[in-house]
Structures are given as structure tokens and as C-alpha cells.
Amino acid sequence: MAGDPLYEAYHDTEWGVPEYDPRALWEKLVLDGFQAGLAWITILRKREAFRAAFDNFDPEKVALYGEADRARLMADAGIVRSNAKIDAAISGARINLDMGGRGEDFSKFLWDFVGGAPIQNRWGGVGDVPAQTPEAVEMAKALKAKGFKFVGPVIVYAFMQATGMVNDHTTDCFRHDPIRALGGKT
């Protein structure tokens, strides 16, 4: 979305930067799930409304949501109103907490699919960037096995790109080298 200031700011400061905070990772996974069938800019424009509606994506709060919260979310024009996606976010919060309760760190679980460090790709152009990778397929399978929804390999790969698990800035992008300098394996 070149020319859109919000999208450009997201690309220039956030997209591809390695994220390890479990709450932030869960937020991005939920938002990528809400994106299914939509353009990312739609979600980006609604991100602050999503944060307000979902208690800043605090899994402990979202896990307690009941029917009144579902109704409130479905009535909120500031977010994407989809019963299935809202239910997926609420159940995802519960799964996230269950993982933590069993001593499983959400961040480590996700980052283990890339060996704990960003994969440094060297794509020459946007057309070279795949829609999914074997790592995304494996992560999607593992997330689905835990009960997460809206976590197919394409959504998961977009999540991996956004959270810096892979550096998919093309080599001609001014962000490629700074993101590469943040570390990772080639």
C-alpha cells in the first residue's frame, strides 16, 4: 500500500522486526486470523479499535469473555464482526493460558519453528516471496493441534513475516539490511 501513511509507517518501523513478547505475538496471531479474506490495511486501520475491544489483547481477560462480550464485540463497528473469528480469538486466549499453565512458553513454542532466530531470506522482488514455507506449514499444524483457529499456513506465514521470524524484506528494500542486522540465521 505504497502511499498510505499508516501502512508505510507499519512497514518502516514494525513489519519484520523480531517480536518475542508473548502478548504481542498472540495479538498479531489474532489479528492475522481476523485478516483472513481481507486486506491487511483493513486490519491495520482497525487495530486500535481491536485493542480497545479485546482489552489490549490480554489473554487473561479475553479468556474470561462470555456471551455478553461476544454480543458486545459483534456490535462493535470498529472491528471485523465475524462470529467465527471472535470465537477463535476467545478460544485462542484460553489455549494460550492453558499452555502457560502447563509451563509452555508461547513465545518459545512459536520461535522454535525457526530455530529461535529469524530466517534471513534474500528475495530479489516481491514476486519471489512465497505465500507459505515448510516452517509455516509445521507451525500451522502445531497450532491447529492445540486448537487454534484461523491458523492455516498462509496466515501463519504472514504472521511469521510480521513478527520477524523471517526477514522477507526484499534485498532492494531499505529495511532489509537493518532487519538482517538484528540477527538470525541465513
Side-chain angles (χ1 to χ4, degrees), residues 10 34 41 44 53 57 64 80 88-89 103 108 116 126 129 131 137 148 151 157 165 169 171:
Y10 173 73
F34 269 98
I41 191 64
L44 198 55
F57 291 98
L64 297 175
V80 173
K108 182 178 179 337
V126 175
V129 180
V137 170
F148 287 95
V151 289
Y157 195 62
M165 292 180 189
H169 287 278
T171 54

Short mmCIF file of all heavy atoms in Angstrom, two decimals, residues 10 34 41 44 53 57 64 80 88-89 103 108 116 126 129 131 137 148 151 157 165 169 171:
data_model
loop_
_atom_site.label_atom_id
_atom_site.label_comp_id
_atom_site.label_asym_id
_atom_site.label_seq_id
_atom_site.Cartn_x
_atom_site.Cartn_y
_atom_site.Cartn_z
N TYR A 10 3.86 1.28 9.29
CA TYR A 10 3.89 -0.11 9.76
C TYR A 10 5.07 -0.85 9.11
O TYR A 10 5.85 -1.51 9.78
CB TYR A 10 2.56 -0.79 9.43
CG TYR A 10 2.55 -2.27 9.71
CD1 TYR A 10 2.50 -2.75 11.02
CD2 TYR A 10 2.57 -3.18 8.67
CE1 TYR A 10 2.49 -4.12 11.27
CE2 TYR A 10 2.56 -4.54 8.91
CZ TYR A 10 2.52 -5.01 10.22
OH TYR A 10 2.52 -6.35 10.46
N PHE A 34 -7.99 -12.50 11.95
CA PHE A 34 -9.07 -11.62 11.54
C PHE A 34 -8.89 -11.14 10.10
O PHE A 34 -9.86 -10.80 9.44
CB PHE A 34 -9.18 -10.42 12.49
CG PHE A 34 -10.12 -10.65 13.64
CD1 PHE A 34 -9.62 -11.04 14.87
CD2 PHE A 34 -11.48 -10.48 13.50
CE1 PHE A 34 -10.49 -11.26 15.95
CE2 PHE A 34 -12.36 -10.69 14.56
CZ PHE A 34 -11.85 -11.08 15.79
N ILE A 41 -4.43 -3.85 5.26
CA ILE A 41 -4.65 -2.45 5.59
C ILE A 41 -5.97 -2.27 6.33
O ILE A 41 -6.10 -1.41 7.20
CB ILE A 41 -4.56 -1.53 4.34
CG1 ILE A 41 -4.53 -0.05 4.74
CG2 ILE A 41 -5.67 -1.83 3.35
CD1 ILE A 41 -3.32 0.38 5.52
N LEU A 44 -5.12 -3.13 9.85
CA LEU A 44 -4.23 -2.10 10.38
C LEU A 44 -5.02 -0.84 10.76
O LEU A 44 -4.78 -0.25 11.82
CB LEU A 44 -3.16 -1.78 9.33
CG LEU A 44 -1.91 -1.08 9.79
CD1 LEU A 44 -1.23 -1.83 10.92
CD2 LEU A 44 -0.94 -0.93 8.60
N ALA A 53 -11.32 -3.14 22.02
CA ALA A 53 -12.39 -4.13 22.13
C ALA A 53 -11.94 -5.40 22.84
O ALA A 53 -12.72 -6.04 23.55
CB ALA A 53 -12.93 -4.47 20.75
N PHE A 57 -5.59 -7.11 24.11
CA PHE A 57 -5.17 -8.49 23.84
C PHE A 57 -4.49 -9.13 25.05
O PHE A 57 -3.53 -9.87 24.92
CB PHE A 57 -4.30 -8.58 22.59
CG PHE A 57 -5.07 -8.30 21.33
CD1 PHE A 57 -5.06 -7.04 20.75
CD2 PHE A 57 -5.84 -9.29 20.75
CE1 PHE A 57 -5.80 -6.77 19.61
CE2 PHE A 57 -6.58 -9.03 19.61
CZ PHE A 57 -6.56 -7.77 19.03
N LEU A 64 -11.76 -14.92 29.71
CA LEU A 64 -12.95 -14.88 30.56
C LEU A 64 -14.19 -14.38 29.83
O LEU A 64 -15.27 -14.33 30.42
CB LEU A 64 -12.68 -14.00 31.78
CG LEU A 64 -11.57 -14.47 32.72
CD1 LEU A 64 -11.33 -13.44 33.81
CD2 LEU A 64 -11.91 -15.83 33.31
N VAL A 80 -13.66 -6.10 12.88
CA VAL A 80 -14.27 -7.03 11.94
C VAL A 80 -15.24 -7.89 12.74
O VAL A 80 -14.85 -8.56 13.70
CB VAL A 80 -13.19 -7.92 11.26
CG1 VAL A 80 -13.84 -8.99 10.41
CG2 VAL A 80 -12.25 -7.04 10.44
N ALA A 88 -12.77 -17.62 17.73
CA ALA A 88 -11.38 -18.10 17.62
C ALA A 88 -10.46 -17.30 18.52
O ALA A 88 -9.54 -17.87 19.14
CB ALA A 88 -10.90 -18.02 16.17
N ALA A 89 -10.67 -16.00 18.62
CA ALA A 89 -9.84 -15.16 19.49
C ALA A 89 -10.05 -15.54 20.95
O ALA A 89 -9.08 -15.67 21.71
CB ALA A 89 -10.16 -13.68 19.27
N GLY A 103 3.32 -24.80 31.73
CA GLY A 103 4.74 -24.46 31.67
C GLY A 103 5.27 -24.28 30.26
O GLY A 103 6.49 -24.24 30.06
N LYS A 108 8.43 -19.10 23.04
CA LYS A 108 9.40 -20.15 22.72
C LYS A 108 8.78 -21.19 21.79
O LYS A 108 9.41 -21.65 20.84
CB LYS A 108 9.91 -20.82 23.99
CG LYS A 108 10.96 -21.90 23.72
CD LYS A 108 11.49 -22.51 24.99
CE LYS A 108 12.51 -23.60 24.79
NZ LYS A 108 12.54 -24.31 23.54
N GLY A 116 14.64 -20.51 16.86
CA GLY A 116 14.86 -19.48 17.87
C GLY A 116 15.40 -18.16 17.33
O GLY A 116 15.60 -17.23 18.09
N VAL A 126 9.25 -8.78 -4.82
CA VAL A 126 8.05 -9.21 -4.11
C VAL A 126 7.50 -10.50 -4.72
O VAL A 126 7.00 -11.36 -4.00
CB VAL A 126 6.98 -8.09 -4.12
CG1 VAL A 126 5.68 -8.56 -3.51
CG2 VAL A 126 7.49 -6.87 -3.39
N VAL A 129 8.72 -13.84 -3.12
CA VAL A 129 8.36 -14.19 -1.74
C VAL A 129 7.23 -15.23 -1.78
O VAL A 129 6.19 -14.99 -2.38
CB VAL A 129 7.92 -12.95 -0.95
CG1 VAL A 129 7.55 -13.32 0.48
CG2 VAL A 129 9.02 -11.89 -0.96
N ALA A 131 4.08 -17.69 -0.48
CA ALA A 131 2.90 -17.47 0.35
C ALA A 131 2.97 -18.31 1.63
O ALA A 131 2.29 -18.01 2.60
CB ALA A 131 1.63 -17.82 -0.43
N VAL A 137 3.98 -24.30 7.44
CA VAL A 137 3.10 -25.49 7.42
C VAL A 137 3.19 -26.22 8.75
O VAL A 137 2.17 -26.60 9.34
CB VAL A 137 3.45 -26.41 6.23
CG1 VAL A 137 2.72 -27.74 6.34
CG2 VAL A 137 3.13 -25.71 4.91
N PHE A 148 -6.06 -23.90 18.08
CA PHE A 148 -6.18 -22.57 17.50
C PHE A 148 -6.91 -22.65 16.15
O PHE A 148 -6.81 -23.65 15.44
CB PHE A 148 -4.79 -21.94 17.30
CG PHE A 148 -4.12 -21.52 18.56
CD1 PHE A 148 -3.21 -22.34 19.20
CD2 PHE A 148 -4.38 -20.27 19.12
CE1 PHE A 148 -2.56 -21.95 20.37
CE2 PHE A 148 -3.75 -19.87 20.30
CZ PHE A 148 -2.84 -20.71 20.92
N VAL A 151 -5.51 -20.41 11.48
CA VAL A 151 -4.05 -20.52 11.51
C VAL A 151 -3.56 -21.46 10.41
O VAL A 151 -2.72 -22.30 10.63
CB VAL A 151 -3.54 -20.98 12.90
CG1 VAL A 151 -3.71 -19.90 13.94
CG2 VAL A 151 -4.23 -22.27 13.35
N TYR A 157 2.26 -17.86 7.77
CA TYR A 157 3.45 -17.27 7.16
C TYR A 157 3.40 -15.73 7.23
O TYR A 157 4.42 -15.08 7.51
CB TYR A 157 3.68 -17.75 5.74
CG TYR A 157 5.07 -17.42 5.27
CD1 TYR A 157 6.18 -17.96 5.92
CD2 TYR A 157 5.30 -16.53 4.24
CE1 TYR A 157 7.48 -17.64 5.53
CE2 TYR A 157 6.60 -16.22 3.84
CZ TYR A 157 7.68 -16.77 4.49
OH TYR A 157 8.96 -16.46 4.12
N MET A 165 10.05 -13.47 12.31
CA MET A 165 10.58 -14.83 12.33
C MET A 165 11.29 -15.15 11.02
O MET A 165 12.15 -16.02 10.97
CB MET A 165 9.46 -15.84 12.61
CG MET A 165 8.93 -15.72 14.01
SD MET A 165 7.62 -16.90 14.32
CE MET A 165 7.06 -16.30 15.90
N HIS A 169 11.77 -8.77 3.84
CA HIS A 169 12.00 -7.52 3.11
C HIS A 169 12.89 -7.89 1.92
O HIS A 169 13.89 -8.61 2.09
CB HIS A 169 12.73 -6.49 3.99
CG HIS A 169 11.84 -5.90 5.04
ND1 HIS A 169 10.98 -4.86 4.78
CD2 HIS A 169 11.69 -6.19 6.35
CE1 HIS A 169 10.34 -4.54 5.89
NE2 HIS A 169 10.75 -5.34 6.86
N THR A 171 15.65 -7.60 -1.07
CA THR A 171 17.02 -7.07 -0.97
C THR A 171 17.12 -5.62 -1.43
O THR A 171 18.05 -4.92 -1.04
CB THR A 171 18.01 -7.95 -1.75
OG1 THR A 171 17.54 -8.08 -3.10
CG2 THR A 171 18.15 -9.32 -1.11
#
